[in-house]
Amino acid sequence: MAATSLRRFGRSLCWVSRRGLSTSCDDKVVQQNGKSMNLYSAINQALHIALETDTRAYVFGEDVGFGGVFRCTTGLADRFGKSRVFNTPLCEQGIIGFAIGLAAMGNRAIAEIQFADYIFPAFDQIVNEAAKFRYRSGNQFNCGGLTIRAPYGAVGHGGHYHSQSPEAFFCHIPGIKVVIPRSPHQAKGLLLSCIRDPNPIVFFEPKWLYRLAVEEVPEHDFMLPLSEAEVVREGSDITLLGWGAQLSIMEQACLDAEKEGISCELIDLKTLIPWDKETVESSVRKTGRLLISHEAPVTGGFGAEISASIVERCFSRLEAPVARVCGLDTPFPLIFEPFYMPTKNKILDAIKSTVNY
Amino acid sequence: MGLSTAINRSSCWSSLTRHKKPPLTSPSTQNPRGPAQNFCDREALFSSYCFESVKAEKESNSLNDVDHSQVLDFPGGKVAFTTEMRFISESPAERAHCYQVLDNDGQLIICSKFKEVSEEIAVKMYSDMVTLQTMDAVFYEAQRQGRISFYATTIGEEAINIASAAALTIDDLVFPQYREPGVLLWRGFTLQEFANQCFGNKADKGKGRQMPIHYGSNKHNYFTVAATIATQLPHAVGAAYSLKMDRRNACVITYFGDGGSSEGDFHAALNFAAVREVPVIFFCRNNGWAISTPTSDQFRSDGVVVRGLGYGIRSIRVDGNDALAIYSAVHAAREMAISEQRPVLIEALTYRVGHHSTSDDSTKYRPVDEIEWWRLARDPVARFRKWIERNGWWCSEAEIELRDSVRKQLLHAIQVAEKVEKSPLAELFMDVYDVPPSNLCEQEKLLRETIRRHPQDYPSDLPV
Ligand SMILES: Cc1ncc(C[n+]2csc(CCOP(=O)(O)OP(=O)(O)O)c2C)c(N)n1
Ligand SMILES: [Mg+2]
């Protein structure tokens, strides 16, 4: 990795930037028992713990048996056997339908969809089945043990079908939770919470960070709370809100804005639905400004929902329109990826124009 | 249809293996749907072979001599009652046989029935297989050198690519997966055009928007590849229905893998095709692997060919490393698809000799011996070469010259492709709809302002 300067994210966290930009780390506060690891290893560790601590937990999906195309399930089949960790036929609707049935029997069904781009054949199972399983039966049945893992987002060369960020579709389905981690530590703690949460959850993993994000991750079994946003950087002039891989880009914009005398507060939403309005609201009440950034196309993206809610709650406190720096309203384009992306400088420009509104 | 049928069927198939002469019957007497066709002698043998298996099934279903009180008139035909509680077996007594013309050594198997191939066509088939092989080698290497971002080879499946394409006409539509660039090559897509797509330059018909190997060419009736598995299958059926409605003398072929046969779209497509009676050929490349997933984790049926029966679709299994068998089967399938307006399913047994793609290392999940055996002992290109050499149509001088010239052309093509600039920025916003709506016009304007402010953030080889 070229750039290895370090960054601080409120807790001891040291990661290597995915785009060669600066990072920071407070090496004085190294976690006890922590081990430096990348994001896919953190996921792998969470899955080991999930299988270890609950004999009714299962991990399956396309190519999961040999460790998965991103290596997240490495070693699981050897350790826990092929009855609990297995390849499925190439059929996403089958994977999720099967997972719902398995979960409905009181198991933890941890299903992998190879890329978020390929989750759509399972859309019906997620929208009409998983999301309504509890409600339609008057809580006689539920599939709360279901966790769907899927790598999402840009990766530099993924084109249409290896880059998409489909989180907004799933935020429009009452009954499903949507969670996206920003780093290895977060990934491990949030994934374990998702697996053990009594509701079906879609957990999107930022695939660009699988290898590139490295930080100290506690070795032990721990969970991070769902539906709790985290202020990862305090500031007073503007609130920046995002999730997943976009957090590191926003962090860079905060650092640059600081050089120009603008103090940014950065929030990682982490759980997109049901989301932590209170944390966002109290930050916006303090700063009077909000910028939301995500890779998914701006129109109908989850930023729109956040914007509307914050305008409802903080209208009189807002000193500028809510800014959105997001993906373009085009399919994800291979050679145009650098143009499509919500880059640091697009964010920085929006920070300045919002502050100077 | 019971166990007995399954067994009848397979024994009927076995009686039609290459060493025995199939009974000669006129296709017209057995084909309830369409007129007899004009086959040459060899073709008559071949087609009666095809129809014979169908007849056998029909006969085993015949209820003429059944007591009518023992029969239920049910939608779809009469169903006999039986006092025997017998479950239909999950597997036939014998696996469906695999049609072969050339043995591993490129020898014509005695009594084999196949569609005659002229010297000219055979030499073009061979040359295109070699070109495909060479293109794979050169592009794979280019990816390793970081010149293109991704690649997937067709190694081991050259015969499937080229021979199936050779048996069709340019009017037949192709809905590919991603491992059939040879079909496009056969149709005249140039090496330069392949290189342009992989380099995503301005000359790429897809305007650099998709990853390498996602070829498409309207001119060649080759619909653009999508990475999404099996989604093209229902499209093929809809397109074939259009050909049917327009009474065109053409069919559709769609390719997919063993993995693809698990997707819902596969099942939807076969069922729609059968019900709408459309001229479509479903060509399954059963190459043993879907990335790291072996077929034993994919299905427990006797491969994919037997699915045809489940959907009421005529089907055949062929040796996917035997160009002559593939050519003959696709030729016959095309005739049936068009003249009888019916779908046909072909399952070619083969092996993915290369890694899944440049993102994969297949030695992590399969034995190297297995790969080597298929690569060396069952190489479809070498097999076909032996056959054309025996015919006196090919020699080692021609071989050396061909390989040398193709390699040079390819190296030249990638050098050229590399230098061609990328599509201009305006193309980012085009083709989302027929014309860009106002949101995109506004986004383009804002983006251009951003680029003016931060030119260093953007690639220099892309004109803005
Ligand atoms: C809907 C969907 N799910 C998953 C994938 C990821 N994927 C790409 S290729 C592949 C395996 C395909 O195997 P097969 O159909 O046998 O074709 P082969 O690669 O062997 O030619 C998978 C799982 C995808 N592209 N699309
Ligand atoms: Mg395959």
Side-chain angles (χ1 to χ4, degrees):
Chain A
M1 215 57 49
T4 50
S5 50
L6 309 165
R7 114 174 26 179
R8 182 173 174 163
F9 254 12
R11 69 159 39 81
S12 125
L13 180 152
C14 148
W15 89 24
V16 183
S17 163
R18 61 178 159 139
R19 290 166 214 178
L21 295 160
S22 75
T23 52
S24 72
C25 178
D26 186 348
D27 42 11
K28 279 172 286 180
V29 201
V30 171
Q31 288 265 352
Q32 285 294 304
N33 303 325
K35 197 177 154 193
S36 178
M37 69 174 74
N38 63 22
L39 201 145
Y40 87 74
S41 305
I43 300 275
N44 184 251
Q45 214 177 65
L47 294 173
H48 266 99
I49 292 170
L51 289 161
E52 186 78 67
T53 52
D54 189 346
T55 53
R56 297 189 70 98
Y58 297 84
V59 172
F60 50 89
E62 293 156 18
D63 302 296
V64 156
F66 93 117
V69 297
F70 290 105
R71 315 309 303 142
C72 294
T73 55
T74 303
L76 297 176
D78 285 345
R79 171 92 179 272
F80 300 101
K82 288 182 179 170
S83 314
R84 295 180 65 204
V85 179
F86 50 90
N87 286 336
T88 63
L90 205 179
C91 182
E92 292 75 15
Q93 65 184 111
I95 293 171
I96 303 305
F98 174 93
I100 292 170
L102 187 64
M105 297 299 289
N107 302 292
R108 303 210 186 277
I110 309 164
E112 176 176 308
I113 297 292
Q114 203 163 80
F115 284 84
D117 309 70
Y118 304 136
I119 203 168
F120 300 107
F123 205 51
D124 184 51
Q125 285 292 346
I126 298 171
V127 176
N128 283 328
E129 305 306 318
K132 300 167 180 56
F133 217 82
R134 187 189 299 274
Y135 197 78
R136 74 185 180 200
S137 69
N139 202 20
Q140 297 179 84
F141 301 103
N142 76 78
C143 61
L146 169 64
T147 303
I148 302 169
R149 297 177 39 244
Y152 87 99
V155 68
H157 50 259
H160 298 349
Y161 302 112
H162 298 88
S163 309
Q164 296 176 81
S165 298
E167 68 271 12
F169 292 112
F170 300 91
C171 292
H172 201 57
I173 314 169
I176 292 288
K177 293 187 180 183
V178 176
V179 177
I180 307 182
R182 68 167 187 272
S183 72
H185 180 122
Q186 294 290 314
K188 180 175 172 184
L190 289 171
L191 180 56
L192 280 166
S193 290
C194 289
I195 291 167
R196 292 159 179 174
D197 187 272
N199 295 284
I201 300 186
V202 183
F203 186 79
F204 288 118
E205 299 167 4
K207 65 170 149 328
W208 204 335
L209 303 189
Y210 271 142
R211 285 165 195 278
L212 292 189
V214 177
E215 70 177 335
E216 296 288 329
V217 179
E219 294 269 274
H220 65 269
D221 182 351
F222 71 95
M223 301 200 285
L224 293 172
L226 302 185
S227 290
E228 268 185 33
E230 181 185 342
V231 177
V232 293
R233 181 192 164 92
E234 288 188 8
S236 53
D237 297 329
I238 182 169
T239 302
L240 269 61
L241 177 64
W243 48 86
Q246 195 58 12
L247 253 283
S248 72
I249 307 302
M250 301 174 85
E251 169 79 357
Q252 291 153 22
C254 290
L255 294 172
D256 282 11
E258 194 167 38
K259 289 181 203 141
E260 306 196 22
I262 303 170
S263 163
C264 301
E265 179 142 306
L266 179 60
I267 300 180
D268 179 2
L269 192 59
K270 302 199 233 183
T271 300
L272 276 70
I273 210 87
W275 63 287
D276 177 4
K277 279 185 194 158
E278 289 64 38
T279 299
V280 181
E281 182 183 343
S282 66
S283 172
V284 175
R285 285 192 177 279
K286 180 176 80 178
T287 63
R289 299 175 186 89
L290 176 63
L291 181 154
I292 305 155
S293 183
H294 55 66
E295 276 179 28
V298 63
T299 300
F302 197 60
E305 172 61 31
I306 296 167
S307 171
S309 300
I310 293 303
V311 169
E312 278 166 11
R313 290 174 167 230
C314 310
F315 184 69
S316 60
R317 306 294 296 248
L318 284 171
E319 293 179 37
V322 176
R324 285 182 292 160
V325 183
C326 303
L328 302 174
D329 289 337
T330 66
F332 200 102
L334 184 78
I335 61 159
F336 302 110
E337 174 168 335
F339 300 91
Y340 172 97
M341 294 294 281
T343 56
K344 180 201 73 174
N345 279 325
K346 285 182 186 172
I347 296 168
L348 188 59
D349 288 351
I351 290 172
K352 289 188 217 164
S353 58
T354 304
V355 169
N356 300 322
Y357 184 76
Chain B
M1 200 153 319
L3 179 63
S4 58
T5 313
I7 290 166
N8 273 349
R9 180 167 160 273
S10 65
S11 60
C12 143
W13 279 38
S14 68
S15 75
L16 294 171
T17 49
R18 58 193 184 230
H19 302 297
K20 288 184 194 159
K21 204 172 170 198
L24 264 177
T25 31
S26 153
S28 58
T29 57
Q30 294 149 36
N31 169 13
R33 291 194 195 177
Q37 295 148 46
N38 281 336
F39 287 105
C40 73
D41 266 355
R42 273 217 135 88
E43 284 170 323
L45 279 170
F46 186 81
S47 60
S48 67
Y49 164 122
C50 295
F51 294 142
E52 192 58 31
S53 68
V54 173
K55 184 189 173 205
E57 283 181 42
K58 292 242 151 71
E59 276 180 347
S60 69
N61 248 349
S62 160
L63 297 174
N64 293 342
D65 39 1
V66 170
D67 172 357
H68 279 267
S69 65
Q70 299 300 306
V71 160
L72 179 66
D73 219 344
F74 201 76
K78 292 194 167 68
V79 179
F81 287 111
T82 171
T83 54
E84 258 183 280
M85 188 177 72
R86 187 144 43 120
F87 292 88
I88 298 173
S89 170
E90 69 286 352
S91 55
E94 197 180 2
R95 295 192 66 175
H97 289 198
C98 184
Y99 170 56
Q100 195 182 48
V101 175
L102 293 178
D103 67 14
N104 274 355
D105 197 37
Q107 289 274 14
L108 207 58
I109 294 160
I110 307 171
C111 288
S112 56
K113 306 292 175 288
F114 67 99
K115 173 82 179 110
E116 215 68 82
V117 186
S118 69
E119 174 175 351
E120 189 196 353
I121 296 293
V123 169
K124 177 168 160 51
M125 282 168 68
Y126 181 70
S127 305
D128 278 10
M129 283 194 252
V130 168
T131 306
L132 186 56
Q133 244 181 7
T134 315
M135 181 166 92
D136 276 347
V138 171
F139 286 9
Y140 189 83
E141 191 50 35
Q143 196 281 336
R144 294 282 116 164
Q145 295 167 356
R147 294 161 79 183
I148 59 177
S149 58
F150 174 86
Y151 195 69
T153 66
T154 306
I155 308 167
E157 300 178 44
E158 295 90 345
I160 288 174
N161 272 250
I162 301 299
S164 67
L168 300 169
T169 74
I170 187 75
D171 292 334
D172 299 323
L173 310 178
V174 184
F175 285 79
Q177 188 170 316
Y178 48 70
R179 222 181 284 285
E180 305 88 12
V183 178
L184 201 43
L185 178 71
W186 176 268
R187 290 182 171 213
F189 201 68
T190 65
L191 298 182
Q192 191 61 57
E193 288 175 300
F194 282 109
N196 292 338
Q197 199 286 329
C198 288
F199 281 85
N201 67 25
K202 199 170 116 185
D204 165 28
K205 294 207 164 54
K207 305 180 181 178
R209 292 172 184 147
Q210 286 215 80
M211 287 171 70
I213 78 164
H214 291 63
Y215 311 111
S217 174
N218 191 317
K219 182 176 146 199
H220 298 99
N221 281 328
Y222 193 94
F223 283 77
T224 304
V225 173
T228 43
I229 295 293
T231 49
Q232 75 279 14
L233 272 69
H235 306 166
V237 179
Y241 191 63
S242 177
L243 295 180
K244 177 187 179 91
M245 290 295 96
D246 295 342
R247 299 180 188 284
R248 293 265 302 281
N249 179 28
C251 70
V252 176
I253 189 163
T254 181
Y255 297 87
F256 57 101
D258 41 284
S261 76
S262 292
E263 286 283 9
D265 279 340
F266 163 82
H267 300 274
L270 263 71
N271 197 32
F272 270 63
V275 170
R276 296 311 317 161
E277 300 175 1
V278 303
V280 62
I281 301 170
F282 295 104
F283 196 112
C284 177
R285 299 176 293 97
N286 181 350
N287 61 13
W289 296 91
I291 310 184
S292 76
T293 304
T295 48
S296 55
D297 282 350
Q298 201 66 252
F299 42 66
R300 293 294 167 90
S301 54
D302 176 14
V304 174
V305 66
V306 296
R307 312 286 177 83
L309 186 63
Y311 288 105
I313 291 179
R314 197 173 285 170
S315 51
I316 188 169
R317 172 174 277 170
V318 301
D319 180 345
N321 293 29
D322 176 353
L324 276 189
I326 295 160
Y327 180 83
S328 304
V330 173
H331 186 272
R334 180 180 189 275
E335 292 291 331
M336 291 188 281
I338 297 173
S339 66
E340 299 174 43
Q341 292 292 295
R342 60 156 77 237
V344 180
L345 170 64
I346 298 176
E347 180 191 38
L349 301 188
T350 186
Y351 190 82
R352 195 197 75 214
V353 171
H355 299 307
H356 171 71
S357 73
T358 47
S359 315
D360 175 47
D361 171 7
S362 61
T363 58
K364 279 207 181 88
Y365 51 78
R366 56 182 192 177
V368 175
D369 293 356
E370 176 184 297
I371 306 173
E372 286 303 289
W373 184 74
W374 280 89
R375 193 171 68 81
L376 299 170
R378 289 193 49 82
D379 176 10
V381 185
R383 196 194 299 191
F384 195 63
R385 176 181 169 181
K386 286 180 185 152
W387 182 67
I388 58 171
E389 276 185 343
R390 276 199 196 94
N391 290 349
W393 297 343
W394 197 250
C395 59
S396 31
E397 292 81 67
E399 179 80 15
I400 293 165
E401 199 188 306
L402 173 68
R403 289 198 181 261
D404 191 52
S405 117
V406 167
R407 200 176 164 80
K408 282 195 184 116
Q409 288 173 52
L410 278 158
L411 292 173
H412 178 73
I414 62 173
Q415 269 162 18
V416 171
E418 208 161 23
K419 290 196 195 101
V420 177
E421 64 183 6
K422 300 277 185 281
S423 278
L425 182 64
E427 291 294 356
L428 168 54
F429 299 95
M430 303 302 286
D431 309 328
V432 181
Y433 299 93
D434 60 339
V435 291
S438 59
N439 60 324
L440 286 179
C441 298
E442 188 193 340
Q443 287 174 22
E444 180 171 357
K445 191 169 148 273
L446 289 173
L447 176 61
R448 288 184 185 283
E449 286 165 16
T450 305
I451 297 167
R452 234 166 278 133
R453 281 194 300 274
H454 309 286
Q456 76 285 359
D457 285 0
Y458 298 96
S460 56
D461 61 343
L462 200 151
V464 293

